[in-house]
Amino acid sequence: GIVHRDLKPENVMVGEHGEVYVVDWGIAVTLREELASRLPLANKASELAGTPCYMAPEMLGRPGDQLSPRTDVYLLGAMLYEIMLSARPHPGNSFAEILASVLASPPPIPDDAPQELTRICTQAMALHPHDRHASALDFKLALEGFVRHRGSRRLARRASRRLEQLYGELAQAEPGQRDPERHLRLHRLHAECRFAFREALKEWPENGAAQRGLRAATLSMVEYELDNHDARGAATMLGRISEPPPPLAKRVAEAERRDEHERARMAMFRGGGLRPALRYPARLALSVGLGAGVTLLM
């Protein structure tokens, strides 16, 4: 029932044994009437208070803005932002610039930051309080989930390196000219990618990087099999993908129909167990042999 209003790295002390203390409660307010004799009520706090470069939008003292536990969630998100980027979330050369940054919440985060951590930070620092985590506990649980998923992300990164190697081999493969050694390397790399991505998803089914990587690896092999006129191999690969791209599925289906037509055509030439290439020469040899036999008998 208490809102600190000034959470920032300088006000969180960590001891030698990992114990954590939050200090400097000088501008804290309460949400509970029974504590009003000891702390100001949050709904009476209309003055501008806090550290501007971490401040939540509702702390600007605007009419109608309400302080709540989600205000401190915003400040926790601001601390996470600084941990991630080594920069304060609301920089500026003037107070007006800082306030403009606060009102433009959440601050942008580079694309190369961990996506799950970016999502947590962005939600915590949402402009509107109802879009944030409901409490510090919910924020903590989200961070604990990020820590639990480390192993899955590590496996996905390892698989992504194999995927880059797979792309390199595919770039060197010439359509229609299957190199047996490269063919084996490609399938080995794909198997390694698939295994690592699947293991990552086993630990964390919502790992988006692993989902995308697994799909990309398999789609690239479908294209490879199509380029090498192996409709059956392409269909087998495509069967491993949920909701395959319709244009690719159409190409695979057409390749299978062509193969089926070719097999049916070839079967027509296999009458009498003779291969098509030998059918006419064999009949010619048989005719010549019979003719020679008749001649000798005469």
Side-chain angles (χ1 to χ4, degrees), residues 143-196:
L143 285 177
E144 286 179 343
F146 170 77
V147 173
R148 282 197 307 273
H149 301 153
R150 275 181 182 164
S152 177
R153 289 194 301 275
R154 189 179 302 116
L155 282 169
R157 286 195 298 271
R158 189 177 304 161
S160 295
R161 289 194 289 270
R162 285 284 185 272
L163 182 57
E164 290 300 320
Q165 294 177 22
L166 176 64
Y167 287 155
E169 288 286 346
L170 286 168
Q172 297 178 43
E174 295 185 19
Q177 297 183 14
R178 178 173 292 187
D179 178 348
E181 291 186 6
R182 175 166 287 121
H183 182 73
L184 288 175
R185 283 199 302 273
L186 285 167
H187 278 274
R188 187 190 71 245
L189 284 168
H190 175 257
E192 291 173 357
C193 285
R194 183 175 172 79
F195 176 79

Side-chain angles (χ1 to χ4, degrees), residues 1-296:
I2 297 174
V3 181
H4 187 282
R5 290 206 293 173
D6 202 19
L7 293 174
K8 56 185 177 181
E10 291 88 342
N11 286 342
V12 179
M13 312 300 290
V14 183
E16 293 182 2
H17 302 288
E19 67 276 24
V20 179
Y21 298 94
V22 178
V23 300
D24 194 358
W25 296 78
I27 61 171
V29 294
T30 181
L31 303 169
R32 295 159 53 185
E33 293 281 349
E34 64 269 26
L35 296 178
S37 61
R38 300 174 57 189
L39 291 169
L41 282 168
N43 58 10
K44 303 292 185 182
S46 59
E47 78 286 357
L48 185 67
T51 303
C53 57
Y54 300 100
M55 200 173 280
E58 64 270 23
M59 294 173 64
L60 299 180
R62 298 174 302 176
D65 283 350
Q66 295 292 319
L67 300 177
S68 72
R70 296 175 192 244
T71 302
D72 278 351
V73 167
Y74 184 100
L75 300 177
L76 290 170
M79 292 171 61
L80 175 60
Y81 181 97
E82 186 164 0
I83 290 170
M84 291 171 63
L85 303 179
S86 299
R88 292 179 176 180
H90 301 306
N93 296 319
S94 67
F95 189 62
E97 286 184 7
I98 293 174
L99 294 188
S101 176
V102 172
L103 293 172
S105 296
I109 297 175
D111 292 339
D112 58 356
Q115 291 187 355
E116 188 182 5
L117 206 55
T118 295
R119 190 163 54 248
I120 295 169
C121 186
T122 300
Q123 181 180 350
M125 298 187 71
L127 178 63
H128 301 292
H130 62 263
D131 291 329
R132 302 173 198 157
H133 304 87
S135 66
L137 176 60
D138 286 351
F139 179 78
K140 174 192 174 186
L141 292 174
L143 285 177
E144 286 179 343
F146 170 77
V147 173
R148 282 197 307 273
H149 301 153
R150 275 181 182 164
S152 177
R153 289 194 301 275
R154 189 179 302 116
L155 282 169
R157 286 195 298 271
R158 189 177 304 161
S160 295
R161 289 194 289 270
R162 285 284 185 272
L163 182 57
E164 290 300 320
Q165 294 177 22
L166 176 64
Y167 287 155
E169 288 286 346
L170 286 168
Q172 297 178 43
E174 295 185 19
Q177 297 183 14
R178 178 173 292 187
D179 178 348
E181 291 186 6
R182 175 166 287 121
H183 182 73
L184 288 175
R185 283 199 302 273
L186 285 167
H187 278 274
R188 187 190 71 245
L189 284 168
H190 175 257
E192 291 173 357
C193 285
R194 183 175 172 79
F195 176 79
F197 281 132
R198 285 171 65 87
E199 287 298 303
L201 290 169
K202 192 182 297 183
E203 289 193 20
W204 179 27
E206 291 78 28
N207 187 334
Q211 292 171 348
R212 292 187 296 273
L214 180 59
R215 184 178 178 85
T218 307
L219 286 174
S220 66
M221 290 302 291
V222 174
E223 295 279 2
Y224 167 76
E225 298 293 7
L226 284 174
D227 287 343
N228 285 277
H229 313 297
D230 186 349
R232 185 172 297 176
T236 300
M237 288 288 178
L238 194 70
R240 297 172 178 174
I241 300 173
S242 61
E243 300 182 8
L248 186 61
K250 182 179 178 181
R251 287 175 57 200
V252 171
E254 290 173 349
E256 286 189 294
R257 282 195 295 271
R258 284 196 300 270
D259 268 18
E260 183 64 30
H261 177 74
E262 183 64 18
R263 283 195 294 271
R265 190 180 71 83
M266 296 291 285
M268 294 175 59
F269 289 99
R270 291 196 178 104
L274 297 173
R275 291 181 297 172
L278 298 179
R279 190 172 179 218
Y280 176 74
R283 290 181 61 185
L284 178 62
L286 181 60
S287 299
V288 170
L290 288 173
V294 170
T295 302
L296 289 173

